[in-house]
Amino acid sequence: MEVEVVARWASTLPAEDDHPYRTGAWRPQATEYDAFDLDVEGDLPDDLEGVYLRNTENPLRPSIRKYHPFDGDGMIHAVTFRGGRAAYRNRFVRTEGLLAEEQAGQALWAGIAENPQLSLRADGWGARGRMKDASSTDVVVHAGVALSSFWQCGDLYQLDPLTLADLGKATWDGAFPSDLGVSAHARVDEHTGELLFFNYGTRAPYLHFGTLDRHGRLIRYEPVELPGPRLPHDMAFTERYAVLNDLPLFWEPELLERGLHATRFHPELPSRLGLLPRDGAGPVRWFEFDPTYVLHWVNAYEDGDEVVIDGFFQGSPEPEGLPDQGPADRIFRFLAADVLETRLHRWRINVATGMTKEEDLSERFSEFGMINGRHRGRPYRHVYATVNRPGWFVMRGLVHHDTVTGGLEEYMFPEGVFCSETAMAPRVGSRDETDGYLVTLTIDTVRDRSDCVVFDATRLSDGPIATVRLPERISSGTHSFWAPASDLPGW
């Protein structure tokens, strides 16, 4: 392994930190690396060509009062596979908020679990609304550029997907919606090259949908009518439709009027899924389903007159009566799939008759489902998801769902070892949906190390076929993306 330390950032976190989401699997790092010819256990396949990217909540400053893992600064990890070898880089996302707090030497913004009036920020220091735009939630590659994003909308920060060089904020030639920004979970259609995105806010019209073409030019941006402020976290699409949502867990309107952002689940209201024609040929059509909240959608596709939408149904979106866990209190336990009773679920809409139906696809609690990106928006069968450590927002294993047979295949990491959202990387020249590899990053709290682990997608339960050592133990995080070599300029 050839390792170069690119930068060491000054951290002011306490030396004896005991916060459950800044220690253990969530222990942050402050060093940026370039590492080549990484040490490998097993054999890296020659037909695994591309880059695995993962975003990470990685704080450098203690919170003003109460830290939540969504408050951490964005850090992108990139593992590049070429010719049976692997290289690694990691970089903080150079957000305006990160640089302002680096200059100040302290946190300037209240986090998700704090009163926004605690913020110390000065106007213009990288905030859109009440929170710091940490750009720490998601990452995708579109038009040859990696885009990091924030769960509560913000700027899209651009990086070179291979070198992670900072390319500044996306401007879209002056058309970027700077008033609301863009939410995490913009979706790439690999068949058209388009990027579909949404944003939301607390003032009418509450929701917008937009599309970039394959060259990164904005070709559509329009409001979508909602009855009030909502909290959509994700979206899906088919060949003809963008699939949006209006779910009954949202900010309390009367509290919003007082500047308080408190959420409540409203089981008396239905879940609504909206189909918006991608070609602009008509307005959104809304369809009602059982009340729930869906953090992540897996895929959607058209089946004759029906639109099929798969995602993770929460059986208990607002769990009550949970035992006290000290610092890991109620707001943190909302992030655990077993607490939320999160199951792979299917919603069907008949666009000709307006009839709807829904069903569970599995009884296994899981979340963070990934698929072969070539099948996004098209018929598919296989979902690769994670299972969490009971009661905690940390991933301890992988599960392969077969949506046709209902079959399950699992792999659990050893005690004290945790993984990341797992990307499906099609084999070079593959034609079958499962012909490829699963790639994830691990956090080994027992041996104090991190690896990039590669599985054969058809034999998950057999365990890794290759394990690539990283230069330092990384922090847990949220979302990942696989970009094949064919999508990477200059490869």
Side-chain angles (χ1 to χ4, degrees), residues 336-358:
D338 61 316
V339 173
L340 298 170
E341 300 177 3
T342 303
R343 297 180 176 90
L344 186 62
H345 193 80
R346 174 163 287 174
W347 295 258
R348 285 184 175 268
I349 299 170
N350 189 304
V351 296
T353 67
M355 297 294 291
T356 63
K357 55 184 176 181
E358 58 184 300

Side-chain angles (χ1 to χ4, degrees), residues 135-424:
S135 201
S136 57
T137 307
D138 197 14
V139 60
V140 300
V141 174
H142 178 250
V145 176
L147 305 170
S148 69
S149 55
F150 190 52
W151 71 277
Q152 206 170 77
C153 301
D155 289 306
L156 293 181
Y157 283 87
Q158 304 175 119
L159 302 94
D160 183 295
L162 294 176
T163 67
L164 298 186
D166 177 22
L167 301 179
K169 296 191 294 187
T171 64
W172 301 348
D173 296 324
F176 188 85
S178 57
D179 55 336
L180 291 174
V182 171
S183 176
H185 297 302
R187 293 295 190 179
V188 178
D189 185 337
E190 293 192 14
H191 294 266
T192 68
E194 293 174 322
L195 182 75
L196 286 68
F197 70 92
F198 68 99
N199 60 30
Y200 59 95
T202 59
R203 299 182 183 277
Y206 306 117
L207 180 68
H208 291 80
F209 168 77
T211 306
L212 300 184
D213 69 13
R214 65 171 57 251
H215 305 293
R217 296 181 298 231
L218 183 68
I219 57 175
R220 184 180 186 185
Y221 183 65
E222 63 185 64
V224 178
E225 183 177 353
L226 287 178
R230 294 296 187 263
L231 276 172
H233 182 72
D234 196 0
M235 65 167 292
F237 67 87
T238 71
E239 291 184 65
R240 292 188 296 163
Y241 300 104
V243 184
L244 306 174
N245 59 86
D246 171 12
L247 304 175
L249 189 152
F250 49 80
W251 291 305
E252 285 287 77
E254 64 273 16
L255 295 179
L256 273 179
E257 294 178 0
R258 295 158 46 193
L260 301 175
H261 293 70
T263 60
R264 185 168 75 85
F265 181 56
H266 297 262
E268 73 279 6
L269 297 178
S271 298
R272 298 198 307 155
L273 299 185
L275 301 183
L276 181 65
R278 289 175 60 177
D279 63 5
V284 65
R285 292 177 63 190
W286 292 102
F287 301 86
E288 294 187 355
F289 294 91
D290 291 342
T292 188
Y293 188 76
V294 178
L295 194 64
H296 298 120
W297 304 97
V298 174
N299 195 28
Y301 62 91
E302 296 164 39
D303 181 13
D305 286 336
E306 288 193 328
V307 173
V308 180
I309 306 117
D310 292 349
F312 292 99
F313 183 102
Q314 294 183 1
S316 182
E318 197 170 59
E320 298 292 343
L322 295 172
D324 179 47
Q325 295 183 6
D329 62 8
R330 184 171 180 262
I331 194 166
F332 303 117
R333 297 201 297 275
F334 277 155
L335 303 174
D338 61 316
V339 173
L340 298 170
E341 300 177 3
T342 303
R343 297 180 176 90
L344 186 62
H345 193 80
R346 174 163 287 174
W347 295 258
R348 285 184 175 268
I349 299 170
N350 189 304
V351 296
T353 67
M355 297 294 291
T356 63
K357 55 184 176 181
E358 58 184 300
E359 62 178 335
D360 279 342
L361 295 180
S362 176
E363 290 300 309
R364 184 70 162 103
F365 295 146
S366 64
E367 244 285 6
F368 288 86
M370 299 287 276
I371 69 171
N372 183 326
R374 297 174 183 173
H375 290 259
R376 193 169 298 282
R378 274 70 177 171
Y380 84 116
R381 178 172 175 173
H382 301 278
V383 181
Y384 308 96
T386 64
V387 293
N388 65 286
R389 175 184 173 186
W392 288 83
F393 179 34
V394 68
M395 305 166 191
R396 69 185 183 96
L398 306 176
V399 57
H400 171 197
H401 295 279
D402 186 323
T403 66
V404 174
T405 68
L408 290 175
E409 186 182 14
E410 297 190 6
Y411 180 84
M412 294 295 124
F413 289 91
E415 187 68 26
V417 180
F418 305 96
C419 63
S420 308
E421 185 176 63
T422 300
M424 197 286 176

